[in-house]
Amino acid sequence: MSVSSAAPASVSASAPTQAELFDFVRRAVADADLIASLPLDPEGRTWVRLEGPGGSEAWLIGWPPGTGTGWHDHADSVGAFMTASGELRENSLAVRLPTDGWTTLELTEGVDRERRLATGQGRAFGRHHVHEVLNESTDRHAVSVHAYYPPLPRIRRYSRTAQTLRLEQVERPEDWQ
C-alpha cells in the first residue's frame, strides 16, 4: 500500500533523517482515509506496509486493547512513530547499550523513561533505541504509523525483570515476512 496522498514517496540521493521520517509519519497520520483503511482485529495487532520516503520501511499498525510489543530495539535503524488514534505508552531506556556481545545487563537506577502519546503525538529515535510500546486501553484500539531507515536489518527482543535486561531473540526480516 502506498501513502501517496499523505506523503509522496521519493527516493533521495541521501538517507532520510529522523526529522524526515517524523515528517512522513506526521503526514501519514493526517491522512484520514489511510488510517481508516486499516483492518482492525479484536485480538491481535494488524499492520500494512507503507511506502516510506527515501527507501525507508514504514508501517501502519493497529493495536487492540491491552497489546504491546515487549522490549526490543531496531538495531542500526533510526526511526519515528506517531499515534493516529487512541493513546500509546512508550517505555524506553535513556542509556546507550552495547550493540553486540552480551546476553544480560544490569541497568542502573534512573534509566527508565515513559511517554504517553495521544492522537497526533509521536517521536523520532536514534540507532539502538530500546523500548516497548503499549496500548493500555481496556476498550479501545490505537493506530499508529512507524518509519525506519535503513529498512529493519534485525530486531532484538529482550525480557526485563526489575533492573535486569536479557537478550532473548534476534529476528531478521525473513522471520516476519
Side-chain angles (χ1 to χ4, degrees):
M1 169 178 266
S2 173
V3 220
S4 56
S5 62
S10 62
V11 176
S12 63
S14 62
T17 65
Q18 289 178 41
E20 289 167 329
L21 293 174
F22 189 78
D23 185 56
F24 169 82
V25 299
R26 181 188 53 75
R27 288 182 287 137
V29 162
D31 184 336
D33 291 337
L34 173 68
I35 302 309
S37 74
L38 180 67
L40 299 177
D41 183 310
E43 296 179 19
R45 285 191 297 154
T46 55
W47 53 87
V48 172
R49 181 123 186 213
L50 306 175
E51 195 173 315
S56 64
E57 181 172 344
W59 298 91
L60 175 62
I61 301 175
W63 306 78
T67 60
T69 60
W71 287 95
H72 68 283
D73 73 17
H74 305 102
D76 295 318
S77 297
V78 298
F81 71 100
M82 182 173 283
T83 305
S85 69
E87 179 179 272
L88 294 173
R89 183 175 100 192
E90 180 198 34
N91 296 320
S92 63
L93 300 177
V95 63
R96 187 110 173 130
L97 299 180
T99 56
D100 289 302
W102 65 275
T103 55
T104 303
L105 288 175
E106 290 299 317
L107 303 170
T108 59
E109 295 293 326
V111 299
D112 291 295
R113 299 293 180 267
E114 178 185 314
R115 288 180 177 84
R116 295 210 175 261
L117 303 166
T119 299
Q121 295 179 320
R123 66 164 310 197
F125 54 86
R127 290 170 169 75
H128 309 289
H129 175 70
V130 177
H131 69 165
E132 67 175 347
V133 180
L134 308 157
N135 176 7
E136 295 182 313
S137 173
T138 58
D139 62 353
R140 185 170 179 213
H141 269 78
V143 175
S144 57
V145 177
H146 303 245
Y148 311 98
Y149 189 87
L152 297 174
R154 61 186 171 159
I155 293 178
R156 291 180 292 219
R157 299 213 175 264
Y158 306 97
S159 62
R160 179 156 181 204
T161 305
Q163 294 305 108
T164 303
L165 187 70
R166 179 171 283 111
L167 177 65
E168 297 291 345
Q169 181 179 11
V170 178
E171 297 176 3
R172 303 211 183 290
E174 55 271 18
D175 297 328
W176 61 80
Q177 295 293 335

